[in-house]
C-alpha cells in the first residue's frame, strides 16, 4: 500500500528565506507526483505536476524535484513571502483511479 | 475558466437528513472524483467516475451515493446523514487517468449535528 509522508508538519520562516518541503512515498512505481497548495478553508490548487520521466519542474519561485528510486520529492521555495503561507500537500497516483495524499506541511512566512 | 465548481460551499444538516452535493466542471474532463478531508486523516476517495454514466467505489464509499448523468456533472448524495459524515468534501476532475493530475474544486464544508 502506498504511504505518503510529509516532514515537517509545520514550518515557520522569516520573509525572504529559501526553504525546502519534503515528501516521501513508499512505492516508487509511480506515474507522477503532484504538489498542491491549500489555503485555510479553501480548496487545493495545483502547483506542479512532475511526470516519472522528469526529475524537476519549475514554476516561478517554485522548483519541485523527484527521485523515484529513493521515494522522495522536494518542493523548493525561493525568497519566501508572507503570501506563500499555506499548507502544501504532495500526492501520488494509487491503483489507477485514486491518489494518495500526504498530511501536508503548514508553512508560515513571517513579515 | 471556472474549472471545477462545487455547490453549496457550506451546509449544516441534522442527523438523518439527506442532501446532494453538486460538482460541475467545464474542462470536458472524463474522470471525476469525490474526496473527503478530515483532520489527521488526509484526503480519502469516496467515489469516482471514469465517464458519463459510470461510477465506482473508492476507499470510503459507505453512506454515500453518486451519479454522473452528464459528463460535466458529478453528484454526491447523503441519504441519511450521520455526525461521522461531518467533513470537508472536495470534487476533482482529470482529463484521463492519473497521468494528468487533478484539478480540484473549492470544497463543501458539511456539518451534521
Amino acid at each position: 500500500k502506498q504511504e505518503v509522508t510529509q516532514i515537517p508538519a509545520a514550518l515557520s520562516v522569516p520573509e525572504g528565506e529559501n526553504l525546502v518541503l519534503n515528501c516521501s512515498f513508499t512505492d516508487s512505481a509511480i506515474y507522477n507526483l503532484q504538489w498542491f497548495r491549500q489555503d485555510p478553508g479553501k480548496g487545493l490548487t495545483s502547483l506542479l505536476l512532475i511526470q516519472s520521466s522528469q526529475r524537476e519542474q519549475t514554476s516561478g519561485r517554485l522548483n519541485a524535484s523527484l527521485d523515484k528510486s529513493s521515494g522522495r520529492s522536494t518542493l523548493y521555495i525561493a525568497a519566501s513571502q508572507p503570501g506563500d503561507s499555506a499548507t502544501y500537500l504532495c500526492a501520488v497516483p494509487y491503483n489507477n483511479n485514486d491518489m494518495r495524499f500526504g498530511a501536508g506541511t503548514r508553512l508560515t512566512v513571517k513579515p | 475558466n471556472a474549472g471545477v465548481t462545487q455547490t453549496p460551499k457550506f451546509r449544516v444538516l441534522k442527523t438523518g437528513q439527506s442532501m446532494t452535493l453538486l460538482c460541475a466542471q467545464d474542462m470536458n474532463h472524463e474522470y471525476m472524483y469525490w474526496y473527503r478531508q478530515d483532520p489527521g486523516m488526509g484526503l480519502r476517495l469516496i467515489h469516482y467516475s471514469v465517464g458519463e454514466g459510470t461510477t465506482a467505489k473508492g476507499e470510503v464509499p459507505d453512506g454515500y451515493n453518486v451519479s454522473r448523468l452528464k459528463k460535466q456533472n458529478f453528484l454526491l448524495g447523503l441519504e441519511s446523514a450521520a455526525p461521522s459524515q461531518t467533513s470537508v468534501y472536495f470534487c476533482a476532475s482529470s482529463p484521463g487517468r492519473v497521468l494528468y493530475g487533478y484539478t480540484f474544486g473549492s470544497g463543501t464544508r458539511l456539518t451534521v449535528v
Side-chain angles (χ1 to χ4, degrees), chain B residues 16-33:
Chain B
Q17 286 186 320
S18 63
M19 77 164 294
T20 300
L21 283 67
L22 172 63
C23 176
Q25 53 95 2
D26 62 359
M27 298 171 287
N28 201 35
H29 284 177
E30 287 293 334
Y31 287 49
M32 297 186 75
Y33 312 83

Side-chain angles (χ1 to χ4, degrees), chain A residues 28-46:
Chain A
S28 62
I30 59 170
Y31 290 112
N32 56 46
L33 184 143
Q34 195 165 4
W35 280 95
F36 296 90
R37 168 185 173 139
Q38 185 174 27
D39 293 285
K42 304 292 185 182
L44 282 72
T45 301
S46 180

Side-chain angles (χ1 to χ4, degrees), chain A residues 30-103:
Chain A
I30 59 170
Y31 290 112
N32 56 46
L33 184 143
Q34 195 165 4
W35 280 95
F36 296 90
R37 168 185 173 139
Q38 185 174 27
D39 293 285
K42 304 292 185 182
L44 282 72
T45 301
S46 180
L47 297 174
L48 290 164
L49 173 66
I50 314 175
Q51 299 297 343
S52 59
S53 57
Q54 301 172 315
R55 294 190 67 85
E56 282 190 7
Q57 274 282 357
T58 298
S59 176
R61 294 182 293 107
L62 305 180
N63 176 276
S65 67
L66 175 62
D67 184 344
K68 279 184 57 177
S69 61
S70 68
R72 293 180 182 178
S73 176
T74 61
L75 179 67
Y76 175 83
I77 302 177
S80 58
Q81 303 170 358
D84 294 330
S85 298
T87 296
Y88 292 81
L89 298 99
C90 64
V92 296
Y94 178 69
N95 278 351
N96 286 327
N97 291 304
D98 192 2
M99 293 186 84
R100 279 290 181 262
F101 291 81

Side-chain angles (χ1 to χ4, degrees), chain B residues 86-106:
Chain B
T86 294
S87 185
V88 182
Y89 292 86
F90 287 103
C91 177
S93 70
S94 174
R97 287 191 170 182
V98 292
L99 285 172
Y100 304 97
Y102 284 10
T103 300
F104 276 86
S106 58

